[in-house]
Amino acid sequence: MMDRSAMDQAEGLRRLFRAAPPEMLAVLPCGTVTTPWVASQLRARALAGRQVLALDEWQACGNLADCLGASPRFDLLQAVEGQVGEAQCVLEVMPGLRLAQVGRLVRALGSERVITQRTLAQLQGLQAGCDEWLLLAQAGEMQTLSPLLLAAPRLALVVDAQPKSVTTAWASLRRVAREVPQMAFSICHAGEYDAQTEAVLSSFCKLAASRLGVQVEQIGSLGEALAMGSDARTALATFMQRLLQVCRNPAAKPFETRFPASPASVRLSVP
């Protein structure tokens, strides 16, 4: 039987020469406790042996960096622009889990062709050794949708027990589904399930199918969401191609122009 040191060396070599692109998942936190839940999921995946890169669009207090106890000084845009090295923008939170802030980067994407080209090159360089990429997206009240979110092959909406959380998820789903109907969608509750939670999420999925024409799967973890959607071996290539297309044709219409109805007017009927 192969000893532990040989197994570790073999695993290290496998990751060093890993040719398959990482799986790509966008996650949209839609509640006050959802980002800490995402952080705990990321730690668990890293502890399970996955090599994860988290890209955080949120810059406000309580973002993913805060929940992971990390303090990034630079946004990935600064590495793209050559102001600092990549190592100063991508922090190792723990073995198997790295984090990069991309709040400034998403606002710059599509503004200049050179920025887009350098960003694609930067992202391609970051894929080495990664099993999974997770984008903590920000769509709730932004006037435009993030190019990274629009390019992602799948989106997981994470809600909590507050009614406003589900309403936010519904409004965000409408926005994304109109722009990228072919995306794989899922919804997860950050906490324990009970009968009422199950009924609300079931109603959410039924309404998504009947009113938006999209299928939303109920999941219990980010691992389940990563297993959905496109082939893992083509997911990143598709992501890069779609990102380039989005940057060439940015979806810059204001939220009110695309969807006149206020999110507050959305009501989910619970059976």
Side-chain angles (χ1 to χ4, degrees):
M1 181 179 294
M2 186 181 296
D3 62 29
R4 181 66 185 177
S5 61
M7 290 176 63
D8 289 344
Q9 184 179 27
E11 177 66 9
L13 288 172
R14 184 188 73 82
R15 296 198 184 284
L16 180 63
F17 296 105
R18 188 177 191 274
E23 300 172 42
M24 175 69 184
L25 173 69
V27 178
L28 187 60
C30 301
T32 57
V33 301
T34 51
T35 302
W37 181 87
V38 172
S40 68
Q41 289 274 301
L42 291 176
R43 290 193 186 97
R45 297 199 66 75
L47 289 172
R50 305 295 286 174
Q51 296 293 314
V52 183
L53 173 64
L55 304 172
D56 190 5
E57 291 187 359
W58 294 76
Q59 296 179 289
C61 181
N63 62 3
L64 188 58
D66 288 342
C67 294
L68 289 171
S71 301
R73 293 179 55 198
F74 304 102
D75 190 279
L76 192 59
L77 175 64
Q78 291 166 278
V80 169
E81 293 178 333
Q83 299 177 22
V84 298
E86 180 183 288
Q88 294 176 273
C89 298
V90 184
L91 304 183
E92 183 175 14
V93 178
M94 59 183 287
L97 175 58
R98 294 185 297 160
L99 171 71
Q101 293 284 94
V102 294
R104 292 178 58 189
L105 179 65
V106 296
R107 291 196 294 273
L109 273 171
S111 60
E112 298 179 20
R113 187 168 69 175
V114 66
I115 292 294
T116 299
Q117 291 174 336
R118 289 177 179 175
T119 297
L120 290 172
Q122 192 84 44
L123 293 176
Q124 287 170 341
L126 286 173
Q127 78 179 68
C130 287
D131 295 312
E132 300 166 1
W133 280 11
L134 182 140
L135 168 70
L136 198 73
Q138 185 175 0
E141 296 178 0
M142 292 180 66
Q143 294 297 305
T144 58
L145 293 170
S146 157
L148 295 178
L149 172 58
L150 289 174
R154 49 200 112 156
L155 171 65
L157 300 158
V158 183
V159 299
D160 60 25
Q162 299 299 317
K164 182 180 178 182
S165 175
V166 179
T167 302
T168 300
W170 177 258
S172 299
L173 176 65
R174 290 177 67 228
R175 298 181 67 189
V176 179
R178 296 284 180 88
E179 297 288 350
V180 196
Q182 72 272 24
M183 187 180 289
F185 295 102
S186 55
I187 188 167
C188 184
H189 185 265
E192 295 295 327
Y193 277 80
D194 55 24
Q196 183 177 4
T197 299
E198 179 66 27
V200 170
L201 296 189
S202 178
S203 178
F204 186 101
C205 295
K206 290 177 182 177
L207 284 172
S210 63
R211 297 188 184 181
L212 305 180
V214 298
Q215 182 178 2
V216 180
E217 298 288 341
Q218 293 186 52
I219 57 170
S221 69
L222 295 184
E224 292 181 39
L226 282 159
M228 297 170 50
S230 56
D231 186 337
R233 289 183 296 179
T234 61
L236 192 73
T238 303
F239 168 72
M240 294 295 185
Q241 293 166 2
R242 286 164 63 172
L243 180 58
L244 180 59
Q245 183 178 3
V246 169
C247 290
R248 286 173 175 168
N249 304 285
K253 297 177 183 177
F255 174 75
E256 292 79 5
T257 302
R258 289 199 302 270
F259 308 109
S262 168
S265 65
V266 177
R267 295 291 182 269
L268 297 178
S269 58
V270 179

